[in-house]
Amino acid sequence: FSLLEDSQDNLAWAVFGEIAYDITDKLEGSFSLRYDLDDRENTTETKPLYDPTGLDLVPGTKRSEDWDDLQPKVTLRYQPTEDTTIYGGYSRGFRSGGFNQSGVGEAVPNPGVQDLFDEQTADTYEVGIKSIFWDGRANAALSVFYTDFDGAYFFFFDPGTSTQNLGNIDNTEYVGLEFEGSASLTDSFSVNVGLGVTDSEIKDSATPSDEGNNAPFVSDYTLNVGGLYRTPLDFLGGTEFVARVDWQRIGETWWDPANISSRDDIDIIDIRVGLEAEENWAVTFWVKNADDEEYNAEFSPGPFPGANFLFPGEPRRWGVDFTKWF
């Protein structure tokens, strides 16, 4: 009874260059520059008979737009010892915009949603340290960052026009830290851990009441812990038993700029158990989301209660992989 249909013709190209210079034996500086241009054209294909939007879409209507940006990156790396590196730098990231359904800028009750969703640009400043220790059996890395983000995306489902749209947040700031480390506790058993913490804040928005809120789709924190056990099975002649367990906790995640809805902390456990042979083959039994955690992978609040759009996360699933290397 209804069908929204568009076609697109897109051309994207980029050029990239980098130079690095050893300022001293222990200090290196590098500079890179990338230029992107994305040229897009959207053609409306929706037939009037099946148009559910009430926007009087005209088949064959074309919209065209191009997005481009220069993306510099500057990094300094200092290596006081053979096993330690300290670094700092600035970089710019870019992602081009695109097209929402024709006419939604007028019909959708959200000032951040227009017929076009604009480009995203992120300026990031980061400092960190990486080190290897315990005679090479362990390594760790710690970094802190600040990102000034223009045009961050958010999703908005509008039941009136039956459209799922992307909108832009004018400006958002992120401050955070990341830690990761791994260690071989024995010849057979190793562990790894990773922690990311992010504090986000909407600084400027087409909806002023959103300012000061958390950015959508940014988790307060993520924690990853894993363990790997590997041991030879002499009775199988050169075959190793391998088992790995990974646990991931994802902190509270807001879905929308208005901070109307959020997802509580979730825990995901993945397990892999198998055999690896010197003859270049392996067979592995795996389980993802082993505890069958129920959660939403995506949630887009609509303009009124009940007018929501969601995707549930994948439930427990399992399988067996056979691999042969030639």
Side-chain angles (χ1 to χ4, degrees):
F1 297 103
S2 67
L3 174 67
L4 288 170
E5 185 180 6
D6 285 340
S7 61
Q8 291 198 22
D9 183 12
N10 303 330
L11 175 64
W13 61 269
V15 291
F16 172 80
E18 181 178 24
I19 185 171
Y21 180 71
D22 291 330
I23 301 170
T24 70
D25 291 342
K26 297 183 177 182
L27 180 64
E28 179 196 75
S30 64
F31 173 76
S32 64
L33 187 65
R34 177 186 174 101
Y35 175 75
D36 279 80
L37 175 63
D38 195 353
D39 191 351
R40 299 190 174 196
E41 182 180 78
N42 185 92
T43 303
T44 300
E45 305 284 356
T46 301
K47 308 297 188 295
L49 178 63
Y50 304 110
D51 180 7
T53 67
L55 300 177
D56 296 325
L57 303 179
V58 178
T61 300
K62 295 184 182 296
R63 294 182 288 156
S64 60
E65 191 75 21
D66 61 72
W67 291 271
D68 69 311
D69 202 5
L70 278 171
Q71 301 142 76
K73 181 179 180 179
V74 181
T75 305
L76 285 175
R77 295 182 182 89
Y78 176 61
Q79 194 168 18
T81 69
E82 188 177 275
D83 296 331
T84 301
T85 300
I86 301 171
Y87 67 92
Y90 157 79
S91 63
R92 165 168 284 196
F94 164 77
R95 183 178 181 182
S96 64
F99 301 96
N100 288 320
Q101 184 66 50
S102 300
V104 297
E106 178 181 349
V108 171
N110 189 308
V113 175
Q114 301 299 321
D115 287 10
L116 295 175
F117 54 91
D118 210 355
E119 65 190 30
Q120 299 181 101
T121 303
D123 292 299
T124 297
Y125 303 84
E126 181 178 0
V127 294
I129 182 171
K130 299 179 180 181
S131 186
I132 301 172
F133 48 94
W134 199 11
D135 294 328
R137 297 175 64 90
N139 64 79
L142 175 67
S143 65
V144 294
F145 65 88
Y146 165 80
T147 298
D148 185 38
F149 199 165
D150 291 334
Y153 292 161
F154 68 91
F155 291 101
F156 186 85
F157 172 62
D158 179 56
T161 57
S162 188
T163 56
Q164 170 78 336
N165 305 284
L166 277 175
N168 292 102
I169 303 172
D170 293 336
N171 181 260
T172 311
E173 290 185 356
Y174 306 84
V175 179
L177 67 84
E178 295 179 346
F179 170 80
E180 60 181 0
S182 63
S184 298
L185 302 181
T186 70
D187 291 340
S188 299
F189 182 61
S190 62
V191 295
N192 65 277
V193 61
L195 173 66
V197 179
T198 304
D199 178 46
S200 64
E201 182 179 355
I202 297 174
K203 291 294 187 179
D204 189 16
S205 172
T207 304
S209 59
D210 293 346
E211 295 172 7
N213 290 345
N214 293 282
F217 289 94
V218 178
S219 305
D220 290 343
Y221 69 92
T222 57
L223 175 63
N224 301 275
V225 179
L228 174 65
Y229 180 74
R230 180 186 295 269
T231 187
L233 301 177
D234 296 333
F235 63 92
L236 290 180
T239 301
E240 288 187 323
F241 171 78
V242 181
R244 180 174 184 90
V245 178
D246 289 287
W247 167 61
Q248 180 184 49
R249 165 161 280 201
I250 303 175
E252 184 178 23
T253 306
W254 292 95
W255 296 118
D256 58 289
N259 284 185
I260 296 172
S261 57
S262 68
R263 182 183 66 196
D264 292 337
D265 297 4
I266 63 171
D267 296 282
I268 305 295
I269 298 174
D270 296 336
I271 301 172
R272 298 178 65 87
V273 179
L275 300 175
E276 293 185 7
E278 289 182 351
E279 291 81 6
N280 297 326
W281 61 266
V283 59
T284 304
F285 171 78
W286 54 265
V287 182
K288 296 184 178 181
N289 192 8
D291 60 340
D292 204 21
E293 178 89 340
E294 295 184 0
Y295 64 98
N296 285 331
E298 180 185 329
F299 182 86
S300 175
F304 53 85
N308 305 316
F309 191 87
L310 66 84
F311 288 99
E314 292 186 286
R316 180 193 300 119
R317 53 214 186 272
W318 62 271
V320 178
D321 293 340
F322 177 78
T323 305
K324 172 68 176 177
W325 293 275
F326 297 95

